[in-house]
Amino acid sequence: MTPESVLHHTFGYQQFRGQQAEIIQHVLNNGDALVLMPTGGGKSLCYQIPAIVRQGVAIVVSPLIALMQDQVTALLQLGIRAAFVNSMLSNEDARTVFGQLRRNELDLLYVAPERLMTESFLEFLNKIPVSLFAIDEAHCVSQWGHDFRPEYRQLSILHERFPHIPRLALTATADELTRQEIIEHLQLQQGKVFVTGFDRPNIRYQVVPKTKNPKMQLLAFLNREHRNDTGIVYCLSRKKVEDTAEWLQQQGWNALPYHAGLETAVRQKHQDIFLKQESVIIVATIAFGMGIDKPNVRFVAHLDLPKSLEAYYQETGRAGRDGLPSNAWMAYGMGDIFTLGRFIDSSDASPQHKSLERHKLNAMLGYCEMTTCRRQALLSYFGDHLPDPCGNCDTCLDPVPTWDATETAQKALSCIYRTGQQFGVNHLINVLLGKLDEKVQKFQHQQVSTFGIGKELDEDKWKSVYRQLAAAGYITVDVEGYGGLKLHDKARPLLRGEQTLRLRLDSYESKTARPKPERPKFIGADKALWAALQAKRKDLAEVQGIAPYMIFHDSTLKEMVYYRPGTLQELRRINGVGQLKLERYGQQFLNILDDYQDIPDQHNLMSSSVAQNRLSETVNLTLEAFKRGLTPEQIAEQRKLKLTTVYTHFSELIAEEIVELDEIMLDDIEIAEIEETLLAMDDMTNLKPAHEYLGEEYDYGIIKCVRANLQKSM
Ligand code: ADP
Ligand code: ZN
């Protein structure tokens, strides 16, 4: 058996990715290694293939007890002999596993570090052939990271007790400090370090400034780009997790909370639903995610700022492991800067640790405020280099204008100074705007020299200025936590006019609709076939109680739609169809492919829906004409109706889910523009304001269609 043959035969993949082949060869030559690869890069294959090729069992150390079952299930689907032992296993099942180990019947064993480190377990391993040790999530050894597991520190014993067995440490956390800690604590000094490019080109990074209602911003984002997708929303606190999940549920989304305060059973259930079902949104604290390898997570949204770029990159990295277009979206505001700053200040960590955390937070803030390519900045932070702007982040797609804010910043800073460095941003803005409210009168702030000197900007613009000054460190917040702003020493040269400053010109709502990530979109017969394949996969998964992606990934089903294999041999050539899956499921998928081989388009499939619906006759006449292939314009012409009327018919057909919005030929950008405008309106029943806002560019009937589609998903 060679690594290539296992790759083709067992996994059904055509070629190795990146450095996989080298890493595998290195392990087969008895070498130790540290493998740094981004999430979704394909780390698992680096130990799974040597585990199959070499004699004996590979011991995989993982901190993720709750996920071992899923990992093993996925391997069994591929025909790989795998098992796990952890505290969740009954004694009887554990005995079975030890029996298999003794009889050399396993290629891979997943085990929690605390279990592995028991004397009896180590003794046992001495008696059986072990092919290698894989230490997954190796950054858990780092005391500075947020995933620190003390048990990981003891893993250095492996080197002492089993000096001749190769060890492979794997992680997606890349920074230099963590890397050094892993090498030191796992005694990998003799090993080779493999660093794979950290870029995740299919992930689109976006950061938007928070408005007063970030939840609405999230909703607009979901409506615009992720109607039926699976994704993760991260919040800082448990309470916010619960509120947000509940609110999303009220808006009609399938959202579930996940945080460490929930009962284990509930947590496990939510995780399970997320893994096994589609179109599920998990709203979670950072307690959720490590080791989650659901391949088709289409977005990761942050409603609060992560503590560091490492955390951000790890969390956003959970999107798009299948390589298809995905979004990393974040709403960020001044409150985040202060909340995280206070966390650091009030913790009882050593001054050294605090200063490191400050440093990391500043890097995170710098990233949020960028006006140049975000991907270039991210990669350079991780020591990687991207020569050209990526073209797939918000700053690339929608270049951010900057303005000379020197004078404005001076006003903002002196207002802090003149009012005694003890007031929060709202009050300061009231003073600048010259608002004589109660608080201003109470403190006699109409007397200070900055009163009313800032009328040229509105409240949102001033907020943006203060946020950027805080992010850049010109302003700090009081430690007592009342939100009073103070000047940092750094502000002096700016106040004295010795320095100039440019700031970003924020746009709060992205009115300029951006192109959506290009998703392969199936239409006509392809769409029906895609749905049929997914349904088959779901049935097969349900019978076995496993996640659909364990049968085939989305990317595999998509290839089936593109290539339309007609025989088992052809099917075998699809990426992700290995030998065992071919035998088990091949024929069933071929049957479906057969059924769709010569169906020209989906309108035929739906012809029976005419006259069975409860729509009026005139609407059904429009539907019939549409099915004959006429465009809305042609229908209007033929039926001597106004175009608005025809589109109004379509809006009814869309509401009844008989026709889909994208079938009536609006393009995605136009749809997004209309949707965003509608969502920004208080009242969607009155379309006049939206019509005007859009420059009267769209027919009322078209706006009605978009509205019908929006309301359908609300
Ligand atoms: P991670 O590095 O996050 O552990 P995985 O090992 O889970 O990543 O791999 C990510 C995805 O890529 C998985 O769905 C895996 O099956 C797939 N994959 C890995 N290597 C290859 C390859 N050589 N060809 C095709 N797909 C691959
Ligand atoms: Zn970019």
Side-chain angles (χ1 to χ4, degrees):
M1 248 187 308
T2 64
E4 284 77 22
S5 68
V6 176
L7 182 77
H8 301 312
H9 182 270
T10 307
F11 290 91
Y13 295 143
Q14 264 107 52
Q15 56 204 32
F16 285 113
R17 263 195 206 155
Q19 294 178 294
Q20 282 175 333
E22 276 175 68
I23 297 166
I24 290 167
Q25 202 48 55
H26 180 76
V27 177
L28 292 177
N29 295 339
N30 277 319
D32 294 336
L34 169 59
V35 172
L36 301 145
M37 236 186 234
T39 313
K43 284 186 286 299
S44 335
L45 240 53
C46 298
Y47 60 82
Q48 286 164 350
I49 289 188
I52 296 165
V53 174
R54 281 175 80 104
Q55 272 299 319
V57 63
I59 306 295
V60 185
V61 185
S62 163
L64 306 162
I65 293 185
L67 292 169
M68 284 183 189
Q69 170 92 63
D70 283 315
Q71 288 166 329
V72 167
T73 307
L75 289 171
L76 294 174
Q77 281 293 319
L78 294 166
I80 299 171
R81 305 178 306 166
F84 67 93
V85 272
N86 63 33
S87 49
M88 283 159 77
L89 206 62
S90 70
N91 282 340
E92 197 187 322
D93 288 340
R95 256 199 305 280
T96 311
V97 172
F98 281 102
Q100 291 174 308
L101 283 170
R102 223 175 270 119
R103 295 188 298 273
N104 201 7
E105 286 171 2
L106 290 177
D107 291 318
L108 282 135
L109 179 77
Y110 286 75
V111 58
E114 56 276 12
R115 183 67 171 255
L116 174 62
M117 282 304 125
T118 57
E119 190 47 41
S120 57
F121 202 96
L122 292 169
E123 274 300 307
F124 180 82
L125 288 186
N126 255 327
K127 292 184 219 136
I128 61 168
V130 174
S131 57
L132 64 106
F133 289 104
I135 300 158
D136 206 4
E137 314 286 353
H139 62 279
C140 290
V141 78
S142 165
Q143 208 174 2
W144 304 106
H146 47 75
D147 295 324
F148 178 51
R149 305 285 171 114
E151 314 84 64
Y152 260 64
R153 286 281 167 105
Q154 296 160 26
L155 292 172
S156 60
I157 298 187
L158 294 178
H159 179 52
E160 288 145 27
R161 306 244 330 212
F162 307 91
H164 303 299
I165 298 176
R167 291 168 309 137
L168 196 56
L170 309 107
T171 178
T173 304
D175 65 307
E176 188 56 36
L177 188 65
T178 312
R179 206 182 291 188
Q180 287 315 321
E181 275 190 287
I182 296 173
I183 292 176
E184 183 185 331
H185 290 286
L186 297 181
Q187 301 203 16
L188 284 169
Q189 292 86 349
Q190 309 301 318
K192 191 164 171 192
V193 180
F194 292 90
V195 187
T196 301
F198 268 75
D199 193 12
R200 299 288 310 281
N202 60 318
I203 298 183
R204 172 171 297 179
Y205 299 98
Q206 305 177 50
V207 181
V208 299
K210 266 185 199 171
T211 62
K212 283 204 182 81
N213 194 342
K215 279 197 287 216
M216 280 306 287
Q217 289 176 286
L218 173 67
L219 188 66
F221 163 71
L222 294 177
N223 270 318
R224 192 170 63 235
E225 309 209 26
H226 296 288
R227 287 285 162 66
N228 292 308
D229 289 338
T230 292
I232 308 174
V233 177
Y234 280 111
C235 303
L236 196 60
S237 70
R238 295 173 183 186
K239 181 164 183 317
K240 189 156 166 189
V241 162
E242 296 198 350
D243 290 350
T244 308
E246 197 185 311
W247 185 81
L248 281 174
Q249 283 161 13
Q250 286 161 3
Q251 308 300 315
W253 297 79
N254 188 7
L256 297 167
Y258 187 102
H259 60 72
L262 292 171
E263 275 174 47
T264 317
V266 176
R267 235 166 41 213
Q268 184 69 41
K269 188 174 123 214
H270 290 180
Q271 174 173 302
D272 222 51
I273 293 175
F274 178 79
L275 289 175
K276 302 222 168 102
Q277 297 179 16
E278 300 308 327
S279 309
V280 179
I281 299 177
I282 280 273
V283 185
T285 59
I286 55 166
F288 180 78
M290 210 211 307
I292 291 290
D293 52 9
K294 190 178 173 79
N296 61 343
V297 175
R298 288 275 73 85
F299 68 90
V300 170
H302 281 94
L303 279 179
D304 292 302
L305 190 70
K307 299 202 298 188
S308 64
L309 280 172
E310 284 88 349
Y312 173 75
Y313 206 60
Q314 205 171 38
E315 285 152 23
T316 55
R318 287 164 193 148
R321 292 168 82 110
D322 53 10
L324 299 175
S326 309
N327 273 309
W329 178 92
M330 171 158 73
Y332 140 89
M334 182 150 59
D336 290 305
I337 308 177
F338 297 143
T339 310
L340 290 182
R342 263 202 302 276
F343 268 3
I344 299 174
D345 289 340
S346 62
S347 87
D348 31 70
S350 67
Q352 195 192 0
H353 195 171
K354 281 188 186 180
S355 115
L356 180 76
E357 294 211 320
R358 267 272 167 215
H359 180 75
K360 291 193 166 185
L361 175 57
N362 288 337
M364 185 72 233
L365 295 174
Y367 171 80
C368 292
E369 302 288 1
M370 314 218 33
T371 53
T372 51
C373 176
R374 293 199 198 273
R375 191 182 315 272
Q376 282 182 315
L378 271 174
L379 292 176
S380 104
Y381 183 80
F382 293 117
D384 225 0
H385 176 67
L386 186 70
D388 296 312
C390 73
N392 192 28
C393 70
D394 53 1
T395 48
C396 279
L397 290 164
D398 239 353
V400 189
T402 62
W403 54 295
D404 183 344
T406 312
E407 203 180 310
T408 308
Q410 286 167 346
K411 288 182 184 176
L413 295 170
S414 26
C415 194
I416 296 178
Y417 186 72
R418 296 290 166 201
T419 52
Q421 312 205 43
Q422 50 185 312
F423 293 94
V425 66
N426 292 327
H427 182 67
L428 292 167
I429 292 175
N430 284 342
V431 174
L432 284 165
L433 293 177
K435 279 196 193 152
L436 253 185
D437 71 354
E438 244 177 74
K439 197 164 172 186
V440 168
Q441 294 187 20
K442 180 173 164 205
F443 291 99
Q444 294 284 304
H445 281 162
Q446 68 272 38
Q447 315 284 3
V448 302
S449 59
T450 53
F451 185 76
I453 62 164
K455 289 182 182 157
E456 71 277 18
L457 300 186
D458 65 11
E459 192 186 326
D460 281 344
K461 297 247 168 52
W462 278 116
K463 277 205 173 137
S464 155
V465 169
Y466 275 113
R467 187 199 75 232
Q468 295 184 62
L469 288 171
Y474 293 103
I475 301 176
T476 55
V477 72
D478 60 6
V479 233
E480 301 82 43
Y482 299 112
L485 303 187
K486 292 189 184 335
L487 299 184
H488 187 273
D489 284 347
K490 199 180 160 184
R492 278 198 204 131
L494 191 55
L495 271 170
R496 287 201 297 255
E498 295 160 12
Q499 189 201 329
T500 59
L501 183 72
R502 291 194 78 80
L503 294 180
R504 356 177 346 134
L505 189 62
D506 283 340
S507 75
Y508 279 79
E509 284 139 80
S510 54
K511 290 286 185 208
T512 51
R514 289 193 205 105
K516 288 189 199 180
E518 319 91 51
R519 211 113 33 98
K521 213 187 224 164
F522 296 125
I523 54 168
D526 284 350
K527 192 166 180 172
L529 172 58
W530 165 240
L533 294 173
Q534 280 182 308
K536 177 60 137 190
R537 174 176 71 170
K538 186 155 178 272
D539 287 349
L540 290 170
E542 260 167 21
V543 174
Q544 301 178 65
I546 63 176
Y549 72 81
M550 291 176 182
I551 308 278
F552 286 127
H553 285 181
D554 285 1
S555 46
T556 303
L557 296 192
K558 285 197 172 138
E559 283 195 16
M560 291 186 198
V561 177
Y562 285 132
Y563 297 117
R564 302 285 185 107
T567 63
L568 283 171
Q569 289 87 323
E570 284 171 11
L571 187 60
R572 179 70 179 75
R573 286 208 288 274
I574 299 283
N575 227 7
V577 183
Q579 192 55 38
L580 188 70
K581 287 189 177 174
L582 185 76
E583 283 161 24
R584 276 198 195 157
Y585 311 124
Q587 197 51 52
Q588 303 188 59
F589 281 88
L590 273 187
N591 292 345
I592 293 176
L593 284 158
D594 250 11
D595 291 345
Y596 285 82
Q597 221 54 291
D598 27 54
I599 292 180
D601 70 82
Q602 81 189 84
H603 296 133
N604 291 343
L605 295 174
M606 298 197 315
S607 59
S608 63
S609 60
V610 185
Q612 282 176 12
N613 60 47
R614 50 196 183 80
L615 297 171
S616 64
E617 198 187 327
T618 175
V619 175
N620 272 312
L621 285 174
T622 293
L623 175 61
E624 242 162 345
F626 179 60
K627 284 187 172 162
R628 289 199 309 271
L630 300 191
T631 65
E633 285 76 12
Q634 291 165 333
I635 297 172
E637 167 115 6
Q638 202 179 58
R639 298 194 58 206
K640 308 254 175 297
L641 296 171
K642 277 200 270 177
L643 189 59
T644 310
T645 311
V646 174
Y647 273 117
T648 304
H649 293 168
F650 277 109
S651 72
E652 291 183 41
L653 292 164
I654 289 168
E656 292 294 314
E657 308 197 3
I658 296 169
V659 169
E660 292 206 29
L661 181 59
D662 49 20
E663 290 180 74
I664 56 170
M665 292 187 305
L666 279 171
D667 75 19
D668 285 353
I669 299 176
E670 292 174 323
I671 294 176
E673 180 173 56
I674 300 170
E675 279 176 357
E676 281 186 33
T677 308
L678 285 171
L679 286 167
M681 300 290 154
D682 297 329
D683 175 16
M684 272 209 255
T685 50
N686 179 7
L687 292 182
K688 198 156 182 280
H691 185 247
E692 281 169 8
Y693 187 91
L694 288 162
E696 310 197 341
E697 214 173 285
Y698 297 100
D699 189 280
Y700 268 109
I702 292 182
I703 302 179
K704 277 186 197 165
C705 288
V706 176
R707 178 181 63 184
N709 188 54
L710 264 181
Q711 286 171 335
K712 199 175 77 187
S713 64
M714 274 182 169

